[in-house]
Each structure stands twice: as C-alpha cells, then as structure tokens.
Amino acid sequence: MSEREKISEWIMQPGTGKAVELFRGQILRVEQIDGGQCVDFNCFNLHDYKEFMHCGRTRTVHGFNPSRGAFMWSAPPRERAMLYILEDTYGRNDVLFPRCSAYVYESAYGFDVHTNCHDIQAEAQREYGLTPDDVHDSFNLFMCTEVTLDGHATMTRQSTKPGDHVDLLALMDVLAVPNVCGADVMRTSNFSLKPIKLTVFAATPADLDAVPDVPRRASQRTPDDFRNPTIKPDRALRRDPTYVPEFPNVPIVVSDLAVVLSAAEFAMLRTLKLDIYGADDAAALRDILFSWWEERFLAAHSGAPAIEAQVASPRRQ
C-alpha cells in the first residue's frame, strides 16, 4: 500500500478548536496525544454552509455509535454522504448527546463561566464568517454513551490511548471543525482536558477504493430544486403576502380496495390484530401487510438508505 502524503498538521490545545478546509479525497486524522479526550465535530459543505452534517440522519442510518465503515450524512433535503469513517482504532463515538454549552454548566454545575463546546465551535467557525447560531449538533468522537432501559442516554468514561485515532475521508469539499471537548467536570474525557493532534493527508487509491458505493436518489435535492433558494439576509420572520401553498404530492387521494378473506384468513387476522385498532379490521390488515413487507423487503432499518457494504468496527469498553 502506498504511503499517504501528509499535507498539514495541527495540535489543538484544551479550550480550542480548528476549522480545517478538507477537500474531496483528503483525510482528516483526529488523534489522541495523551488519551482519554472527547472531541466534538462539526462539518459544512465548503461551498454552501447551509448543507451541514446531520446527527439525526447519521444516527438513523448507522445507529447511536457510528464507527469505521459509517458515513456522516448531511441534513434533509440534501441527505448526501459528506465524510466516510475510513479508520477508527477505538470504535466508540456518539450521535446522541448535543454539544455542551454555557447553559449546561450554569444550570447543572453552577458555573456561569466555563469552557464549553458550543462556544469553542462558534469561535473556530468565526474564522469563516459563521455565527454561534450556525453551530450544529456535534458528532462526538471517542465519546462513550449508552441508552438505559428507561430510555435515558448516559455517558461514561473512555479508555482511549495515545495514538488512537479516527480517519475521516472527505467525499466533497468541506469545512471540518473539530474541537477539544470542554467538559472537565464530566466523565466524557475522564474529568480532565488534554490536547488533540490533527493531521490532513491525501488519500491513496486504496483509501478511495475502500469507500462503499452510496446510492444517489432523485430525492436528494440541491438549492436548484428549491422554490425559494435565497438565504434570508435578515433575522426577523415575516409572512410573505404573495405566498400561495404548493405542497408536493397533494392532494392525497385515498381509495378503497376490497380485500376478500376466507374464514380461515379472517380468523388469522383476528389472531394477529393489534389492540390499538379496536374494531377497525381494515387498519389491522393494513398494518399486517406493511409489517410483513418491512420484514422481508425493506433494505435497511428505519427507512435508511441501503449501503452496499459495511465494515465491522472494533469496540473497546
């Protein structure tokens, strides 16, 4: 395998972040120096900041803890793969928790002044003209989280070592913005703050070949498809008096479809029928039909796009 060309290198000190122009075909390595440090991560299309990495879509496709072999997806209606996790030596990341903020430390800990990921991200992004309102939910690298049986998200300590790293391959030109998580009073970074090393490499042909094919759909829209592609220059929201609703896919037409069941089939329907449908046998049959179809033909969980291949990721406790 040919060796990657190193393009740049940066050490992020605690309390700081770094906005990095990462061009298509380049790799950003986020690396532990001392070990035990969480890193928050934002990402924007370098040529259109309104397209940004979306934790919700990424979570739907790859689960709560995306790792090696997962993509970072942009928000609807773009829904494009922005970055690919080419390597992850630790295998624990998080898309459940939002970035920590000044409000969190004041409300939970009583600190009205405290380093926090939102303010660090806002300052790093300011170099490119973005505002604190443009900071989005973070992809939390090296962060160990779980969901309890009662539905609460929890965080715990990590065991990353010096040299553990995540390699992010850009699939488009992006502004990648990692920051050293400011949570020194939480378990996320084992109650301390440590520096993080950033390195940008040029991807090798082998790196590029490792990326699974991503489906391209007609529904992945760009501003050219928007009825209103213009970004508002002011902050106040005012009604457009000339507005005429043009909702897509309407009017919705509901048609009756007669389904004849034998006595045996009707008995089976009554056996499988869920209590929530009461006396509505038609709704119960519709549920049975679509549930059967999902189990047999839906290509991925929760309506997520199907990816040709997934790479098993290491996991450490």
Side-chain angles (χ1 to χ4, degrees):
M1 181 182 295
S2 58
E3 187 172 341
R4 294 172 182 165
E5 174 194 355
K6 182 189 295 185
I7 297 172
S8 62
E9 190 174 277
W10 186 269
I11 302 297
M12 287 195 307
Q13 296 298 332
T16 72
K18 179 63 177 174
V20 179
E21 292 187 19
L22 192 69
F23 298 103
R24 182 178 179 181
Q26 292 182 343
I27 295 168
L28 173 64
R29 172 169 292 180
V30 183
E31 184 176 351
Q32 297 283 337
I33 295 177
D34 299 323
Q37 180 59 52
C38 176
V39 176
D40 281 46
F41 182 80
N42 273 208
C43 179
F44 303 86
N45 180 333
L46 188 60
H47 308 294
D48 180 0
Y49 77 96
K50 284 293 189 179
E51 182 172 21
F52 58 90
M53 191 273 296
H54 192 249
C55 283
R57 199 68 185 117
T58 302
R59 180 170 59 241
T60 299
V61 180
H62 301 296
F64 297 154
N65 307 116
S67 182
R68 178 169 169 253
F71 293 89
M72 293 186 184
W73 296 85
S74 63
R78 315 294 182 90
E79 299 185 81
R80 296 195 295 169
M82 302 181 74
L83 295 161
Y84 179 68
I85 303 179
L86 192 64
E87 184 57 85
D88 182 356
T89 63
Y90 184 58
R92 290 297 297 269
N93 306 293
D94 167 75
V95 285
L96 280 173
F97 277 85
R99 61 211 177 270
C100 63
S101 65
Y103 177 83
V104 167
Y105 292 102
E106 183 174 11
S107 61
Y109 297 91
F111 303 143
D112 58 348
V113 176
H114 194 279
T115 181
N116 66 85
C117 290
H118 183 95
D119 288 348
I120 298 171
Q121 275 287 330
E123 178 56 27
Q125 294 177 21
R126 187 172 67 86
E127 183 177 1
Y128 284 80
L130 297 177
T131 75
D133 283 337
D134 295 312
V135 178
H136 61 73
D137 275 354
S138 294
F139 192 109
N140 302 307
L141 299 167
F142 311 110
M143 184 171 173
C144 298
T145 60
E146 298 173 337
V147 178
T148 61
L149 292 177
D150 61 359
H152 286 84
T154 63
M155 61 184 77
T156 188
R157 301 165 187 83
Q158 58 169 284
S159 57
T160 54
K161 305 299 182 187
D164 274 332
H165 61 271
V166 176
D167 287 349
L168 304 174
L169 172 62
L171 304 179
M172 62 173 72
D173 297 346
V174 300
L175 184 69
V177 193
N179 73 270
V180 176
C181 177
D184 61 340
V185 292
M186 299 181 188
R187 298 178 180 182
T188 49
S189 298
N190 303 346
F191 302 106
S192 62
L193 303 178
K194 286 83 67 179
I196 287 289
K197 181 179 179 181
L198 306 177
T199 311
V200 176
F201 299 97
T204 66
D207 293 327
L208 299 176
D209 289 343
V211 182
D213 288 337
V214 181
R216 291 179 173 82
R217 308 297 187 195
S219 56
Q220 292 171 299
R221 303 186 186 108
T222 72
D224 292 338
D225 303 310
F226 298 171
R227 291 199 176 99
N228 179 15
T230 304
I231 297 175
K232 272 174 56 65
D234 59 339
R235 291 175 178 261
L237 297 176
R238 302 177 182 86
R239 181 181 176 275
D240 178 359
T242 67
Y243 168 74
V244 177
E246 297 181 38
F247 293 103
N249 310 315
V250 295
I252 303 295
V253 178
V254 179
S255 302
D256 290 331
L257 176 65
V259 178
V260 179
L261 301 179
S262 67
E265 289 169 336
F266 187 72
M268 184 179 296
L269 169 64
R270 303 308 294 266
T271 300
L272 299 175
K273 182 178 178 180
L274 299 176
D275 292 340
I276 60 173
Y277 294 115
D280 192 341
D281 290 336
L285 181 60
R286 187 165 54 246
D287 186 308
I288 292 169
L289 173 64
F290 283 110
S291 296
W292 170 85
W293 186 90
E294 285 181 339
E295 292 174 1
R296 286 159 180 77
F297 301 109
L298 191 61
H301 294 296
S302 304
I307 309 301
E308 276 199 357
Q310 291 292 338
V311 181
S313 61
R315 295 184 66 85
R316 299 182 192 169
Q317 300 300 323

